[in-house]
Protein backbone atom coordinates (compact mmCIF):
# COMPACT_ATOMS: atom_id res chain seq x y z
CA UNK A 1 0.00 0.00 0.00
CA UNK A 2 3.04 2.27 0.30
CA UNK A 3 2.93 3.18 -3.36
CA UNK A 4 -0.70 4.14 -3.08
CA UNK A 5 0.22 6.81 -0.61
CA UNK A 6 2.77 8.58 -2.78
CA UNK A 7 1.34 11.61 -4.46
CA UNK A 8 0.65 11.92 -8.17
CA UNK A 9 4.22 12.64 -9.18
CA UNK A 10 5.30 9.48 -7.37
CA UNK A 11 3.25 7.43 -9.84
CA UNK A 12 5.14 9.04 -12.72
CA UNK A 13 8.31 7.15 -11.74
CA UNK A 14 6.79 3.73 -12.26
CA UNK A 15 6.15 4.11 -15.99
CA UNK A 16 9.69 4.97 -17.17
CA UNK A 17 10.96 1.82 -15.46
CA UNK A 18 8.48 -0.22 -17.49
CA UNK A 19 9.24 1.25 -20.91
CA UNK A 20 13.02 1.48 -20.57
CA UNK A 21 13.32 -2.04 -19.21
CA UNK A 22 11.54 -3.37 -22.26
CA UNK A 23 14.25 -1.93 -24.51
CA UNK A 24 17.09 -3.92 -22.94
CA UNK A 25 18.68 -6.19 -25.56
CA UNK A 26 19.94 -8.97 -23.30
CA UNK A 27 16.68 -10.15 -21.85
CA UNK A 28 13.98 -12.16 -23.57
CA UNK A 29 10.66 -10.39 -23.98
CA UNK A 30 8.85 -12.69 -21.57
CA UNK A 31 11.26 -12.23 -18.68
CA UNK A 32 11.33 -8.55 -19.53
CA UNK A 33 7.64 -7.98 -19.11
CA UNK A 34 7.54 -10.17 -16.02
CA UNK A 35 10.30 -8.15 -14.44
CA UNK A 36 8.73 -4.94 -15.60
CA UNK A 37 5.31 -5.89 -14.30
CA UNK A 38 6.79 -6.95 -11.00
CA UNK A 39 8.62 -3.63 -10.94
CA UNK A 40 5.25 -1.95 -11.06
CA UNK A 41 4.60 -3.38 -7.66
CA UNK A 42 7.98 -2.78 -6.06
CA UNK A 43 9.55 0.39 -4.75
CA UNK A 44 9.67 3.24 -7.23
CA UNK A 45 12.90 4.52 -8.79
CA UNK A 46 16.23 2.81 -9.36
CA UNK A 47 14.41 0.22 -11.49
CA UNK A 48 16.85 0.51 -14.38
CA UNK A 49 19.83 -0.17 -12.17
CA UNK A 50 18.08 -3.09 -10.51
CA UNK A 51 17.21 -4.75 -13.77
CA UNK A 52 20.51 -4.52 -15.61
CA UNK A 53 22.95 -3.80 -12.76
CA UNK A 54 24.40 -0.86 -14.60
CA UNK A 55 26.21 1.85 -12.69
CA UNK A 56 27.64 4.85 -14.45
CA UNK A 57 31.41 4.86 -13.79
CA UNK A 58 31.77 8.49 -12.77
CA UNK A 59 28.77 8.84 -10.52
CA UNK A 60 28.33 8.09 -6.90
CA UNK A 61 25.26 7.20 -4.91
CA UNK A 62 22.91 9.92 -3.76
CA UNK A 63 24.11 12.21 -1.03
CA UNK A 64 22.30 11.97 2.30
CA UNK A 65 20.89 15.46 1.71
CA UNK A 66 18.94 14.39 -1.34
CA UNK A 67 15.35 13.22 -1.11
CA UNK A 68 14.96 9.45 -1.57
CA UNK A 69 12.20 9.51 -4.10
CA UNK A 70 14.23 10.57 -7.13
CA UNK A 71 17.08 8.10 -7.25
CA UNK A 72 19.53 10.77 -8.29
CA UNK A 73 22.95 10.17 -9.75
CA UNK A 74 25.26 13.13 -9.15
CA UNK A 75 28.81 13.86 -10.31
CA UNK A 76 31.42 12.37 -8.06
CA UNK A 77 32.44 14.31 -5.02
CA UNK A 78 29.59 16.72 -5.37
CA UNK A 79 27.04 17.51 -2.74
CA UNK A 80 24.80 20.18 -4.24
CA UNK A 81 24.13 22.07 -1.05
CA UNK A 82 27.77 22.54 0.00
CA UNK A 83 28.77 23.15 -3.61
CA UNK A 84 26.32 25.98 -3.99
CA UNK A 85 27.21 27.45 -0.65
CA UNK A 86 30.87 27.66 -1.65
CA UNK A 87 30.72 28.38 -5.35
CA UNK A 88 27.21 29.52 -6.11
CA UNK A 89 26.33 33.10 -6.86
CA UNK A 90 25.25 35.20 -3.94
CA UNK A 91 21.55 35.30 -4.61
CA UNK A 92 19.96 38.01 -2.55
CA UNK A 93 16.23 37.51 -2.76
CA UNK A 94 15.44 41.13 -3.22
CA UNK A 95 11.89 41.98 -3.85
CA UNK A 96 8.71 43.22 -2.29
CA UNK A 97 5.54 41.34 -3.04
CA UNK A 98 2.36 41.36 -1.10
CA UNK A 99 -1.10 39.89 -1.28
CA UNK A 100 -4.17 40.23 0.86
CA UNK A 101 -7.72 39.02 0.64
CA UNK A 102 -10.80 41.07 1.36
CA UNK A 103 -14.47 41.03 0.65
CA UNK A 104 -14.19 41.85 -3.03
CA UNK A 105 -11.41 39.46 -3.91
CA UNK A 106 -7.67 39.19 -3.53
CA UNK A 107 -5.17 41.94 -4.26
CA UNK A 108 -1.65 41.07 -5.40
CA UNK A 109 1.01 43.75 -5.72
CA UNK A 110 4.73 43.63 -6.36
CA UNK A 111 7.68 45.78 -7.30
CA UNK A 112 9.46 45.16 -10.60
CA UNK A 113 13.15 45.19 -9.80
CA UNK A 114 15.03 41.95 -10.50
CA UNK A 115 18.35 42.15 -8.70
CA UNK A 116 21.38 39.90 -8.74
CA UNK A 117 23.44 41.05 -5.81
CA UNK A 118 23.88 44.77 -6.29
CA UNK A 119 23.26 44.60 -10.04
CA UNK A 120 19.76 45.39 -11.25
CA UNK A 121 19.20 42.66 -13.82
CA UNK A 122 15.84 43.98 -14.91
CA UNK A 123 14.07 47.11 -13.70
CA UNK A 124 10.73 46.17 -15.18
CA UNK A 125 10.13 42.50 -14.56
CA UNK A 126 6.73 41.08 -13.73
CA UNK A 127 6.66 39.22 -10.44
CA UNK A 128 3.02 38.27 -10.52
CA UNK A 129 2.43 35.18 -12.64
CA UNK A 130 -1.05 34.15 -13.76
CA UNK A 131 -1.71 30.44 -13.33
CA UNK A 132 -5.20 30.34 -14.75
CA UNK A 133 -8.20 32.61 -15.06
CA UNK A 134 -8.88 32.62 -11.32
CA UNK A 135 -5.43 32.14 -9.85
CA UNK A 136 -2.36 34.37 -9.60
CA UNK A 137 0.93 33.81 -7.89
CA UNK A 138 3.30 36.42 -6.54
CA UNK A 139 6.88 35.24 -6.83
CA UNK A 140 9.88 35.84 -4.70
CA UNK A 141 13.18 34.03 -4.34
CA UNK A 142 14.95 32.76 -7.41
CA UNK A 143 13.10 33.98 -10.51
CA UNK A 144 14.08 30.92 -12.52
CA UNK A 145 12.76 28.54 -9.90
CA UNK A 146 9.53 30.48 -9.58
CA UNK A 147 8.96 30.56 -13.33
CA UNK A 148 9.63 26.84 -13.73
CA UNK A 149 7.50 25.70 -10.85
CA UNK A 150 4.64 27.88 -11.93
CA UNK A 151 4.69 26.31 -15.36
CA UNK A 152 4.62 22.88 -13.73
CA UNK A 153 1.72 23.98 -11.54
CA UNK A 154 -0.13 25.31 -14.56
CA UNK A 155 0.28 21.96 -16.26
CA UNK A 156 -0.94 20.02 -13.22
CA UNK A 157 -3.99 22.21 -12.78
CA UNK A 158 -4.86 22.07 -16.45
CA UNK A 159 -4.61 18.25 -16.47
CA UNK A 160 -6.80 17.99 -13.41
CA UNK A 161 -9.33 20.36 -14.91
CA UNK A 162 -9.57 18.16 -17.99
CA UNK A 163 -9.89 15.00 -15.94
CA UNK A 164 -12.30 16.22 -13.30
CA UNK A 165 -14.31 18.72 -15.32
CA UNK A 166 -13.58 21.58 -12.95
CA UNK A 167 -10.57 23.54 -11.81
CA UNK A 168 -9.04 22.48 -8.50
CA UNK A 169 -9.51 24.87 -5.58
CA UNK A 170 -6.80 27.28 -4.45
CA UNK A 171 -6.16 25.01 -1.49
CA UNK A 172 -5.55 22.12 -3.88
CA UNK A 173 -3.21 24.20 -6.02
CA UNK A 174 -1.24 25.27 -2.96
CA UNK A 175 -1.08 21.67 -1.72
CA UNK A 176 0.11 20.40 -5.10
CA UNK A 177 2.77 23.08 -5.38
CA UNK A 178 4.11 22.56 -1.89
CA UNK A 179 4.12 18.77 -2.29
CA UNK A 180 6.00 19.02 -5.59
CA UNK A 181 8.60 21.36 -4.19
CA UNK A 182 9.11 19.55 -0.90
CA UNK A 183 10.43 16.55 -2.84
CA UNK A 184 13.41 18.74 -3.76
CA UNK A 185 14.05 19.92 -0.26
CA UNK A 186 17.74 20.32 0.47
CA UNK A 187 18.60 21.15 -3.13
CA UNK A 188 18.53 24.91 -2.65
CA UNK A 189 15.28 25.68 -4.42
CA UNK A 190 14.04 29.06 -3.36
CA UNK A 191 10.45 29.85 -4.14
CA UNK A 192 8.43 32.00 -1.77
CA UNK A 193 5.08 32.64 -3.28
CA UNK A 194 1.58 33.72 -2.43
CA UNK A 195 -1.19 32.02 -4.39
CA UNK A 196 -4.13 34.35 -4.79
CA UNK A 197 -7.35 33.03 -6.20
CA UNK A 198 -11.09 32.90 -6.18
CA UNK A 199 -12.67 29.45 -5.98
CA UNK A 200 -15.90 27.88 -4.79
CA UNK A 201 -15.27 29.08 -1.25
CA UNK A 202 -14.67 32.70 -2.27
CA UNK A 203 -11.39 34.64 -2.21
CA UNK A 204 -8.49 32.53 -0.95
CA UNK A 205 -4.86 33.27 -0.21
CA UNK A 206 -2.09 30.76 0.48
CA UNK A 207 1.59 31.25 1.16
CA UNK A 208 3.82 28.49 -0.17
CA UNK A 209 7.54 28.18 0.47
CA UNK A 210 9.90 25.79 -1.26
CA UNK A 211 10.66 23.82 1.90
CA UNK A 212 7.03 22.74 1.86
CA UNK A 213 5.46 25.38 4.11
CA UNK A 214 1.90 26.04 3.18
CA UNK A 215 -0.12 28.59 5.12
CA UNK A 216 -3.54 30.04 4.62
CA UNK A 217 -4.00 33.64 5.67
CA UNK A 218 -5.47 37.05 5.01
CA UNK A 219 -2.29 39.08 4.48
CA UNK A 220 1.10 37.95 3.24
CA UNK A 221 4.11 39.94 2.19
CA UNK A 222 7.23 38.24 0.89
CA UNK A 223 10.74 39.44 0.13
CA UNK A 224 13.40 41.76 1.46
CA UNK A 225 10.98 44.68 1.50
CA UNK A 226 8.27 42.76 3.34
CA UNK A 227 8.86 44.21 6.83
CA UNK A 228 8.21 47.70 5.48
CA UNK A 229 5.16 46.54 3.56
CA UNK A 230 3.77 44.66 6.57
CA UNK A 231 3.96 47.86 8.61
CA UNK A 232 1.73 49.72 6.19
CA UNK A 233 -0.56 46.75 5.55
CA UNK A 234 -1.18 45.92 9.19
CA UNK A 235 -2.10 49.55 9.79
CA UNK A 236 -4.61 49.94 7.00
CA UNK A 237 -6.10 46.46 6.46
CA UNK A 238 -9.78 45.75 6.99
CA UNK A 239 -11.68 42.83 5.46
CA UNK A 240 -14.55 45.13 4.51
CA UNK A 241 -12.50 47.63 2.52
CA UNK A 242 -13.80 48.95 -0.75
CA UNK A 243 -11.92 48.07 -3.91
CA UNK A 244 -10.43 51.56 -4.25
CA UNK A 245 -9.26 51.53 -0.64
CA UNK A 246 -7.63 48.16 -1.24
CA UNK A 247 -5.82 49.42 -4.34
CA UNK A 248 -4.58 52.46 -2.45
CA UNK A 249 -3.39 50.33 0.47
CA UNK A 250 -1.49 47.93 -1.77
CA UNK A 251 0.18 50.70 -3.76
CA UNK A 252 1.08 52.57 -0.58
CA UNK A 253 2.62 49.47 1.03
CA UNK A 254 4.82 48.60 -1.96
CA UNK A 255 5.80 52.23 -2.45
CA UNK A 256 6.99 52.53 1.14
CA UNK A 257 8.92 49.30 0.81
CA UNK A 258 10.64 50.40 -2.39
CA UNK A 259 11.59 53.65 -0.70
CA UNK A 260 13.49 51.90 2.11
CA UNK A 261 14.62 48.59 0.63
CA UNK A 262 17.55 48.73 -1.78
CA UNK A 263 16.52 45.57 -3.60
CA UNK A 264 13.00 46.75 -4.39
CA UNK A 265 12.10 49.42 -6.83
CA UNK A 266 11.23 50.17 -10.39
CA UNK A 267 7.47 50.15 -10.72
CA UNK A 268 4.56 48.83 -8.72
CA UNK A 269 2.33 46.20 -10.34
CA UNK A 270 -1.18 45.83 -9.03
CA UNK A 271 -3.46 42.86 -9.75
CA UNK A 272 -6.95 42.08 -8.52
CA UNK A 273 -8.59 38.64 -8.52
CA UNK A 274 -12.34 38.92 -8.58
CA UNK A 275 -15.10 36.41 -8.95
CA UNK A 276 -14.92 36.86 -12.71
CA UNK A 277 -11.17 36.34 -12.94
CA UNK A 278 -7.95 38.25 -12.48
CA UNK A 279 -7.28 41.73 -13.78
CA UNK A 280 -4.09 43.79 -14.12
CA UNK A 281 -5.11 47.04 -12.53
CA UNK A 282 -2.06 49.26 -12.99
CA UNK A 283 1.69 49.57 -13.23
CA UNK A 284 2.94 52.80 -11.75
CA UNK A 285 6.44 54.10 -11.22
CA UNK A 286 7.54 53.56 -7.62
CA UNK A 287 9.12 56.97 -7.01
CA UNK A 288 6.19 58.85 -8.45
CA UNK A 289 3.84 56.74 -6.38
CA UNK A 290 5.81 57.26 -3.19
CA UNK A 291 5.91 61.01 -3.54
CA UNK A 292 2.21 61.01 -4.37
CA UNK A 293 1.45 58.96 -1.30
CA UNK A 294 3.47 61.02 1.13
CA UNK A 295 2.38 64.42 -0.16
CA UNK A 296 -1.33 63.70 0.02
CA UNK A 297 -2.84 65.78 2.84
CA UNK A 298 -4.44 62.73 4.45
CA UNK A 299 -1.13 60.88 4.55
CA UNK A 300 0.54 63.41 6.81
CA UNK A 301 -2.40 63.49 9.18
CA UNK A 302 -2.68 59.69 9.28
CA UNK A 303 0.89 58.58 9.57
CA UNK A 304 3.20 61.58 9.47
CA UNK A 305 5.69 62.35 12.25
CA UNK A 306 4.39 64.31 15.21
CA UNK A 307 6.43 67.43 15.89
CA UNK A 308 8.62 67.07 18.95
CA UNK A 309 7.31 68.86 22.01
CA UNK A 310 9.52 71.80 22.56
CA UNK B 1 -14.98 -21.95 -30.74
CA UNK B 2 -15.21 -20.18 -27.44
CA UNK B 3 -12.98 -22.73 -25.75
CA UNK B 4 -10.01 -21.80 -27.91
CA UNK B 5 -10.10 -18.11 -26.94
CA UNK B 6 -11.16 -18.08 -23.36
CA UNK B 7 -8.14 -19.41 -21.54
CA UNK B 8 -6.11 -16.23 -21.48
CA UNK B 9 -7.50 -12.87 -20.44
CA UNK B 10 -5.37 -10.99 -22.90
CA UNK B 11 -6.57 -12.80 -26.02
CA UNK B 12 -9.41 -11.51 -28.17
CA UNK B 13 -11.65 -13.97 -29.96
CA UNK B 14 -12.11 -13.55 -33.71
CA UNK B 15 -15.48 -11.91 -33.19
CA UNK B 16 -14.14 -9.38 -30.75
CA UNK B 17 -15.00 -10.87 -27.35
CA UNK B 18 -12.84 -11.01 -24.28
CA UNK B 19 -14.30 -14.20 -22.94
CA UNK B 20 -12.75 -14.01 -19.49
CA UNK B 21 -14.35 -10.64 -18.93
CA UNK B 22 -17.69 -12.00 -20.04
CA UNK B 23 -17.32 -14.98 -17.74
CA UNK B 24 -16.56 -12.52 -14.95
CA UNK B 25 -19.86 -10.83 -15.73
CA UNK B 26 -21.50 -14.21 -15.36
CA UNK B 27 -19.93 -14.52 -11.92
CA UNK B 28 -21.58 -11.24 -10.99
CA UNK B 29 -24.94 -12.61 -12.06
CA UNK B 30 -24.58 -15.26 -9.39
CA UNK B 31 -24.39 -12.69 -6.61
CA UNK B 32 -27.30 -11.25 -4.63
CA UNK B 33 -29.46 -8.58 -6.14
CA UNK B 34 -28.64 -4.99 -5.31
CA UNK B 35 -30.53 -1.88 -6.28
CA UNK B 36 -29.53 1.77 -6.26
CA UNK B 37 -31.85 4.74 -6.62
CA UNK B 38 -31.01 8.39 -7.07
CA UNK B 39 -33.70 10.65 -5.67
CA UNK B 40 -33.86 14.41 -5.66
CA UNK B 41 -32.38 14.81 -2.18
CA UNK B 42 -31.46 11.28 -1.32
CA UNK B 43 -29.59 8.27 -2.63
CA UNK B 44 -30.64 4.77 -1.62
CA UNK B 45 -28.77 1.48 -1.80
CA UNK B 46 -30.52 -1.78 -1.06
CA UNK B 47 -29.29 -5.35 -1.29
CA UNK B 48 -30.73 -8.80 -0.79
CA UNK B 49 -29.23 -10.38 2.26
CA UNK B 50 -28.82 -14.11 2.02
CA UNK B 51 -30.06 -15.83 5.12
CA UNK B 52 -27.34 -16.13 7.66
CA UNK B 53 -26.31 -19.55 8.95
CA UNK B 54 -27.41 -20.28 12.49
CA UNK B 55 -23.98 -20.09 14.08
CA UNK B 56 -22.81 -17.11 12.03
CA UNK B 57 -22.60 -13.70 13.65
CA UNK B 58 -25.10 -11.61 11.76
CA UNK B 59 -23.53 -8.26 12.48
CA UNK B 60 -20.41 -9.09 10.51
CA UNK B 61 -22.26 -9.79 7.30
CA UNK B 62 -22.52 -6.34 5.78
CA UNK B 63 -22.49 -5.73 2.08
CA UNK B 64 -22.90 -1.97 1.92
CA UNK B 65 -19.66 -0.15 2.74
CA UNK B 66 -18.67 3.45 3.12
CA UNK B 67 -15.75 4.44 0.96
CA UNK B 68 -15.30 7.85 2.44
CA UNK B 69 -16.91 9.84 5.16
CA UNK B 70 -15.98 13.48 5.46
CA UNK B 71 -16.77 14.37 9.01
CA UNK B 72 -17.19 18.14 8.72
CA UNK B 73 -19.40 18.22 5.70
CA UNK B 74 -21.50 15.14 6.29
CA UNK B 75 -20.36 13.83 2.96
CA UNK B 76 -20.10 10.18 2.16
CA UNK B 77 -19.66 7.76 -0.67
CA UNK B 78 -21.43 4.45 -0.26
CA UNK B 79 -20.86 1.44 -2.35
CA UNK B 80 -21.97 -2.10 -2.79
CA UNK B 81 -20.06 -4.75 -4.69
CA UNK B 82 -21.80 -7.79 -6.06
CA UNK B 83 -19.99 -10.91 -7.20
CA UNK B 84 -16.97 -12.50 -5.59
CA UNK B 85 -16.80 -11.26 -2.01
CA UNK B 86 -13.05 -11.59 -1.72
CA UNK B 87 -12.49 -9.49 -4.84
CA UNK B 88 -14.86 -6.91 -3.42
CA UNK B 89 -12.86 -6.66 -0.23
CA UNK B 90 -9.63 -5.99 -2.14
CA UNK B 91 -11.17 -3.32 -4.35
CA UNK B 92 -12.90 -1.61 -1.44
CA UNK B 93 -9.60 -1.43 0.39
CA UNK B 94 -7.84 0.14 -2.59
CA UNK B 95 -10.67 2.60 -3.10
CA UNK B 96 -10.58 3.66 0.54
CA UNK B 97 -6.84 4.26 0.35
CA UNK B 98 -7.33 6.27 -2.83
CA UNK B 99 -9.97 8.44 -1.17
CA UNK B 100 -7.50 9.35 1.56
CA UNK B 101 -4.56 9.81 -0.82
CA UNK B 102 -6.67 12.18 -2.85
CA UNK B 103 -7.43 14.19 0.25
CA UNK B 104 -3.76 14.23 1.10
CA UNK B 105 -2.58 15.43 -2.30
CA UNK B 106 -5.37 17.75 -3.18
CA UNK B 107 -7.03 18.79 0.10
CA UNK B 108 -10.53 18.13 -1.23
CA UNK B 109 -12.56 14.94 -0.74
CA UNK B 110 -13.08 12.79 -3.82
CA UNK B 111 -16.07 13.33 -6.03
CA UNK B 112 -18.24 10.28 -6.62
CA UNK B 113 -17.24 10.33 -10.27
CA UNK B 114 -13.53 10.38 -9.40
CA UNK B 115 -13.65 7.34 -7.17
CA UNK B 116 -15.85 5.50 -9.67
CA UNK B 117 -13.33 6.25 -12.39
CA UNK B 118 -10.54 5.01 -10.13
CA UNK B 119 -12.33 1.72 -9.45
CA UNK B 120 -13.18 1.30 -13.12
CA UNK B 121 -9.58 2.02 -14.16
CA UNK B 122 -8.38 -0.51 -11.61
CA UNK B 123 -10.74 -3.15 -12.99
CA UNK B 124 -9.68 -2.38 -16.55
CA UNK B 125 -6.01 -2.79 -15.65
CA UNK B 126 -6.73 -6.32 -14.56
CA UNK B 127 -8.35 -7.11 -17.90
CA UNK B 128 -5.22 -6.12 -19.75
CA UNK B 129 -2.35 -7.77 -17.89
CA UNK B 130 -1.00 -11.25 -18.10
CA UNK B 131 -1.04 -13.55 -15.13
CA UNK B 132 -4.10 -11.95 -13.59
CA UNK B 133 -7.81 -12.48 -13.93
CA UNK B 134 -10.46 -9.75 -13.97
CA UNK B 135 -12.25 -8.83 -10.76
CA UNK B 136 -15.55 -10.69 -10.71
CA UNK B 137 -17.51 -7.79 -9.29
CA UNK B 138 -19.88 -5.04 -10.31
CA UNK B 139 -20.37 -2.04 -8.10
CA UNK B 140 -23.05 0.51 -7.40
CA UNK B 141 -21.54 3.69 -6.03
CA UNK B 142 -23.67 6.48 -4.62
CA UNK B 143 -23.02 9.75 -2.92
CA UNK B 144 -23.28 13.50 -2.91
CA UNK B 145 -20.63 15.85 -4.20
CA UNK B 146 -19.71 19.26 -2.81
CA UNK B 147 -22.26 20.85 -5.04
CA UNK B 148 -25.04 18.89 -3.39
CA UNK B 149 -26.01 16.89 -6.47
CA UNK B 150 -26.77 13.21 -5.81
CA UNK B 151 -25.02 10.64 -7.99
CA UNK B 152 -25.29 6.96 -8.75
CA UNK B 153 -22.70 5.10 -10.81
CA UNK B 154 -22.40 1.47 -11.83
CA UNK B 155 -19.20 -0.31 -12.82
CA UNK B 156 -18.76 -3.80 -14.26
CA UNK B 157 -15.85 -6.25 -14.54
CA UNK B 158 -14.73 -4.88 -17.88
CA UNK B 159 -13.99 -1.51 -16.33
CA UNK B 160 -16.73 0.57 -17.90
CA UNK B 161 -18.81 2.85 -15.75
CA UNK B 162 -21.96 4.82 -16.33
CA UNK B 163 -24.14 7.19 -14.36
CA UNK B 164 -27.67 6.00 -13.70
CA UNK B 165 -30.88 7.31 -12.22
CA UNK B 166 -31.68 3.86 -10.90
CA UNK B 167 -30.09 0.50 -11.54
CA UNK B 168 -29.82 -3.05 -10.29
CA UNK B 169 -27.01 -5.61 -10.41
CA UNK B 170 -26.67 -9.27 -9.52
CA UNK B 171 -29.11 -12.12 -9.82
CA UNK B 172 -32.46 -11.12 -11.30
CA UNK B 173 -31.06 -7.70 -12.12
CA UNK B 174 -33.05 -7.72 -15.34
CA UNK B 175 -36.38 -8.15 -13.54
CA UNK B 176 -35.60 -5.41 -11.09
CA UNK B 177 -34.43 -3.07 -13.83
CA UNK B 178 -37.64 -3.59 -15.74
CA UNK B 179 -39.60 -2.85 -12.58
CA UNK B 180 -37.59 0.33 -12.10
CA UNK B 181 -38.06 1.40 -15.68
CA UNK B 182 -41.80 1.14 -15.20
CA UNK B 183 -41.97 2.74 -11.79
CA UNK B 184 -39.18 5.33 -11.62
CA UNK B 185 -41.07 8.55 -12.18
CA UNK B 186 -40.62 12.08 -10.92
CA UNK B 187 -43.42 11.43 -8.42
CA UNK B 188 -41.86 8.21 -7.25
CA UNK B 189 -38.70 9.99 -6.12
CA UNK B 190 -40.33 13.24 -5.12
CA UNK B 191 -39.91 12.65 -1.41
CA UNK B 192 -37.19 10.75 0.42
CA UNK B 193 -39.65 8.23 1.81
CA UNK B 194 -41.02 7.50 -1.63
CA UNK B 195 -37.52 6.87 -2.95
CA UNK B 196 -36.80 4.45 -0.11
CA UNK B 197 -40.06 2.66 -0.72
CA UNK B 198 -39.31 2.36 -4.41
CA UNK B 199 -36.00 0.68 -3.61
CA UNK B 200 -37.66 -1.75 -1.23
CA UNK B 201 -40.47 -2.49 -3.65
CA UNK B 202 -37.94 -3.21 -6.36
CA UNK B 203 -36.11 -5.66 -4.11
CA UNK B 204 -39.33 -7.30 -2.93
CA UNK B 205 -39.92 -8.31 -6.53
CA UNK B 206 -37.09 -10.79 -6.25
CA UNK B 207 -36.38 -11.34 -2.59
CA UNK B 208 -38.10 -14.40 -1.18
CA UNK B 209 -38.84 -13.81 2.44
CA UNK B 210 -39.60 -10.14 2.68
CA UNK B 211 -38.17 -7.45 4.92
CA UNK B 212 -35.70 -9.38 7.03
CA UNK B 213 -33.62 -10.26 4.00
CA UNK B 214 -33.11 -6.70 2.83
CA UNK B 215 -30.19 -4.49 3.81
CA UNK B 216 -30.69 -0.79 3.17
CA UNK B 217 -28.62 2.37 3.45
CA UNK B 218 -29.33 5.96 2.51
CA UNK B 219 -27.59 9.29 2.32
CA UNK B 220 -29.64 12.44 2.50
CA UNK B 221 -28.12 15.70 1.34
CA UNK B 222 -26.03 17.35 4.08
CA UNK B 223 -26.62 14.49 6.48
CA UNK B 224 -24.39 11.61 7.46
CA UNK B 225 -25.07 8.24 5.92
CA UNK B 226 -27.57 5.99 7.61
CA UNK B 227 -27.68 2.21 7.67
CA UNK B 228 -31.13 0.85 8.35
CA UNK B 229 -31.68 -1.72 11.04
CA UNK B 230 -33.88 -4.72 10.31
CA UNK B 231 -36.74 -3.19 12.31
CA UNK B 232 -36.74 0.02 10.29
CA UNK B 233 -36.80 -1.96 7.06
CA UNK B 234 -39.73 -3.96 8.41
CA UNK B 235 -41.63 -0.75 9.07
CA UNK B 236 -41.29 0.27 5.47
CA UNK B 237 -42.22 -3.19 4.25
CA UNK B 238 -45.41 -3.24 6.31
CA UNK B 239 -46.28 0.21 4.99
CA UNK B 240 -45.72 -0.97 1.43
CA UNK B 241 -47.90 -4.03 1.98
CA UNK B 242 -50.62 -1.87 3.48
CA UNK B 243 -50.55 0.45 0.49
CA UNK B 244 -50.72 -2.54 -1.83
CA UNK B 245 -53.79 -3.88 -0.04
CA UNK B 246 -55.52 -0.53 -0.19
CA UNK B 247 -54.76 -0.23 -3.89
CA UNK B 248 -56.19 -3.68 -4.49
CA UNK B 249 -59.30 -2.89 -2.49
CA UNK B 250 -59.86 0.20 -4.58
CA UNK B 251 -59.42 -1.80 -7.73
CA UNK B 252 -61.87 -4.49 -6.63
CA UNK B 253 -64.46 -1.87 -5.68
CA UNK B 254 -64.34 -0.09 -9.02
CA UNK B 255 -66.52 -2.32 -11.20
CA UNK B 256 -69.37 -1.83 -8.70
Amino acid sequence: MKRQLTCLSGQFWLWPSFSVASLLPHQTPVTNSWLASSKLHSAPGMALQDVCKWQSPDTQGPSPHLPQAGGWAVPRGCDPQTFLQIHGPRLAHGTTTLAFRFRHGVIAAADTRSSCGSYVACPASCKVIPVHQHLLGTTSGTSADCATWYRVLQRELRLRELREGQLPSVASAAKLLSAMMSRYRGLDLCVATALCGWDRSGPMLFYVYSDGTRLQGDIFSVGSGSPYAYGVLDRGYRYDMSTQEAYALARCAVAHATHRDAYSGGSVDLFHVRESGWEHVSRSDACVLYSGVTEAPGARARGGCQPCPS
Amino acid sequence: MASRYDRAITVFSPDGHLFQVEYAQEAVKKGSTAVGIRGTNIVVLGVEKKSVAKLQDERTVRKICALDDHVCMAFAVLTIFIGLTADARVVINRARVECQSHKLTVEDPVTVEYITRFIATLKQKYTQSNGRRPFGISALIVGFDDDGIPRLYQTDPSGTYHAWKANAIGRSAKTVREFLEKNYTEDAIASDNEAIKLAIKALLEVVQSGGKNIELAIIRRNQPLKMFSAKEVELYVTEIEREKEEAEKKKSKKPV
Side-chain angles (χ1 to χ4, degrees), chain A residues 4 7 160 164 169 172 175, chain B residues 101 104-108 114:
Chain A
Q4 292 282 351
C7 63
R160 278 166 194 274
E164 313 297 330
S169 58
S172 301
K175 191 66 183 276
Chain B
S101 301
L104 178 66
T105 357
V106 176
E107 279 297 298
D108 293 326
Y114 178 92

Side-chain angles (χ1 to χ4, degrees), chain A residues 56-253:
Chain A
S56 164
D58 47 23
T59 59
Q60 63 181 24
S63 118
H65 294 296
L66 292 172
Q68 288 307 307
W72 300 85
V74 294
R76 189 181 293 280
C78 174
D79 176 24
Q81 193 158 22
T82 37
F83 177 82
L84 278 174
Q85 264 165 16
I86 301 166
H87 301 290
R90 289 276 153 269
L91 306 166
H93 307 309
T95 188
T96 308
T97 65
L98 62 89
F100 57 87
R101 74 181 257 268
F102 69 119
R103 176 176 300 284
H104 302 290
V106 188
I107 299 285
D111 74 311
T112 58
R113 177 175 294 173
S114 265
S115 51
C116 186
S118 58
Y119 167 66
V120 176
C122 177
S125 56
C126 187
K127 300 188 187 178
V128 179
I129 303 182
V131 180
H132 59 71
Q133 188 59 25
H134 285 85
L135 187 61
L136 286 177
T138 66
T139 61
S140 166
T142 320
S143 321
D145 286 341
C146 291
T148 315
W149 284 102
Y150 266 93
R151 286 175 68 90
V152 176
L153 181 65
Q154 273 168 359
R155 183 193 70 157
E156 270 303 314
L157 294 181
R158 178 71 179 137
L159 272 175
R160 278 166 194 274
E161 182 192 5
L162 285 170
R163 266 187 222 137
E164 313 297 330
Q166 60 187 7
L167 276 168
S169 58
V170 184
S172 301
K175 191 66 183 276
L176 286 168
L177 185 62
S178 80
M180 288 193 287
M181 290 199 294
S182 68
R183 294 163 64 80
Y184 294 86
R185 199 176 158 157
L187 289 176
D188 254 6
L189 264 189
C190 188
V191 175
T193 168
L195 280 165
C196 325
W198 189 298
D199 61 21
R200 277 179 300 279
S201 24
M204 286 290 263
L205 177 57
F206 278 85
Y207 168 70
V208 176
Y209 188 62
S210 46
D211 66 357
T213 309
R214 182 180 149 265
L215 299 168
Q216 185 186 350
D218 285 338
I219 313 176
F220 285 110
S221 176
V222 189
S224 54
S226 61
Y228 312 107
Y230 268 126
V232 177
L233 278 174
D234 287 336
R235 188 115 197 271
Y237 173 80
R238 278 177 308 119
Y239 185 76
D240 294 311
M241 283 187 289
S242 72
T243 313
Q244 290 308 316
E245 283 177 327
Y247 290 169
L249 179 64
R251 286 190 189 113
C252 186

